Amino acid sequence: MRAVFLGTPEFAVPSLKALAAQHEVVAVFTQPDRPKGRGGQLSESPVKVAARELGITVHQPERIRRPESFELLKSLAAQIMVVVGYGQIIPQAIIDLPRRGILNVHASLLPKYRGAAPIQWAIANGETETGVTIMRIDAGLDTGDMLRKGSLAIGPDETARELSARLAPLGADLLLETIAANPAAEKQNDAEATLAPILKKEDALIEWTRTAGEIYNRFRGFNPWPGSYTGFRGQQLLITGARPFETDLNLRPGQCAVQSKKWIVGCGGETSLELKEVQLSGKNRMTGEAFLNGYKLGPDETLGAGLNGVMV
């Protein structure tokens, strides 16, 4: 089948490769190269790299809804289009182009977690199961009819990066099954819908009034981006390794203690979190124990103070 693929992140690569193995992918659309890192050098998307390896022509329009993009897609005469994390809203005029419609590989069990960050928010909210839904795109935000679903259990310590790596091949398999079977569509129940909005840097700020379990879930869900941080003596402290601490030390939210060389921080609900690895702004990562050796904690040391003048 003649197909066009629209995608950008690493999650989309298995679907592109699977589609290209069984169908004629005449073009790939992905986001323009973006500056990355301290040097600001332009970085290609994982989908662009994969498409080049497959020998597929790549297009990177700044805006897919512009007339020239529509005319280009129309000229390609695709029977089907596939979207996986493309990063732009597809206008109705393009949705109407392919005879078999546009399929979307969405990383949640719709209608739960509609939006840009379903993997991250499923973990951050403490879900124990998620999956992939193949849906037919319409003009709404992940509101189209569902065609196939597959589920996976979320590991208790699994991060968004790790879960994404497991969901991606599941999505690729479901995509091929859907194209081959052309199953009957099932409408979503809007009353059961939840949202997974795009992540912001502010989401990384730890609120120590949350329970240790809630903080740990957000730590896992926001790994690798936007991460988790707090304030330490007026500086930003990245938390790069953590886990709930089982013993109740009767600490206030944000209050620090040392227990058997472990750095423990009080959280809401009379719970505690162990900081296993941290990185102070401008410094290298180090274990919690190594940090304590270099920065002796005061008798009433509290994290979160000093950033924006508030304790969070």
Side-chain angles (χ1 to χ4, degrees):
M1 185 177 299
R2 190 174 172 87
V4 167
F5 187 90
L6 300 92
T8 299
E10 188 67 38
F11 177 81
V13 171
S15 290
L16 170 59
K17 290 182 176 179
L19 186 67
Q22 294 195 16
H23 298 276
E24 181 190 6
V25 180
V26 295
V28 164
F29 284 68
T30 190
Q31 292 282 60
D33 298 349
R34 305 294 189 194
K36 188 176 183 180
R38 293 183 179 180
Q41 292 186 332
L42 291 179
S43 176
E44 298 178 336
S45 75
V47 163
K48 180 180 179 180
V49 174
R52 186 171 56 241
E53 293 172 352
L54 294 168
I56 303 172
T57 301
V58 176
H59 301 282
Q60 297 177 272
E62 196 68 41
R63 295 286 182 268
I64 194 71
R65 60 174 57 253
R66 287 178 179 165
E68 58 268 28
S69 298
F70 171 80
E71 293 299 331
L72 175 57
L73 283 163
K74 184 178 180 181
S75 71
L76 292 170
Q79 296 167 282
I80 194 169
M81 294 184 191
V82 174
V83 173
V84 188
Y86 177 51
Q88 295 188 38
I89 295 175
I90 310 299
Q92 189 64 50
I94 292 177
I95 293 174
D96 294 337
L97 283 176
R99 176 175 56 83
R100 285 280 302 269
I102 302 181
L103 300 186
N104 176 231
V105 181
H106 185 77
S108 80
L109 298 174
L110 290 171
K112 295 184 73 173
Y113 297 107
R114 295 172 176 173
I119 296 173
Q120 294 89 334
W121 284 112
I123 295 176
N125 290 338
E127 300 284 358
T128 57
E129 182 185 57
T130 189
V132 175
T133 303
I134 309 298
M135 56 164 277
R136 186 172 287 121
I137 279 186
D138 63 12
L141 178 64
D142 299 326
T143 56
D145 292 347
M146 302 178 295
L147 302 169
R148 270 283 198 278
K149 280 186 177 182
S151 61
L152 284 178
I154 301 175
D157 299 310
E158 196 164 24
T159 66
R161 187 198 298 273
E162 294 164 343
L163 181 57
S164 179
R166 291 203 299 130
L167 287 172
L170 172 61
D173 291 343
L174 290 172
L175 173 64
L176 294 185
E177 291 175 13
T178 302
I179 294 173
N182 195 20
E186 176 188 354
K187 290 194 174 299
Q188 296 187 42
N189 183 351
D190 292 340
E192 297 177 353
T194 61
L195 296 179
I198 190 168
L199 291 171
K200 308 181 297 297
K201 289 183 178 180
E202 304 86 78
D203 292 319
L205 181 61
I206 296 173
E207 299 176 30
W208 293 107
T209 52
R210 297 179 184 270
T211 68
E214 292 169 339
I215 293 172
Y216 184 57
N217 288 339
R218 291 171 73 90
F219 166 79
R220 295 186 298 121
F222 300 159
N223 179 319
W225 196 90
S228 298
Y229 77 91
T230 187
F232 177 78
R233 300 177 184 173
Q235 298 184 69
Q236 179 175 286
L237 182 72
L238 293 177
I239 310 302
T240 53
R243 68 179 305 108
F245 189 68
E246 300 302 326
T247 305
D248 178 19
L249 300 181
N250 194 30
L251 299 172
R252 301 187 313 276
Q255 183 181 5
C256 298
V258 179
Q259 182 84 1
S260 301
K261 299 184 179 181
K262 296 178 180 179
W263 187 357
I264 312 302
V265 186
C267 307
E270 298 181 346
T271 60
S272 302
L273 190 76
E274 179 187 354
L275 305 189
K276 298 180 71 66
E277 185 183 72
V278 299
Q279 183 176 13
L280 195 62
S281 182
K283 304 293 185 179
N284 294 326
R285 290 189 183 187
M286 59 180 70
T287 65
E289 181 179 348
F291 190 93
L292 293 177
N293 289 335
Y295 296 86
K296 303 300 182 182
L297 299 184
D300 195 29
E301 194 85 51
T302 301
L303 295 186
L307 284 179
N308 301 321
V310 297
M311 211 293 285
V312 293

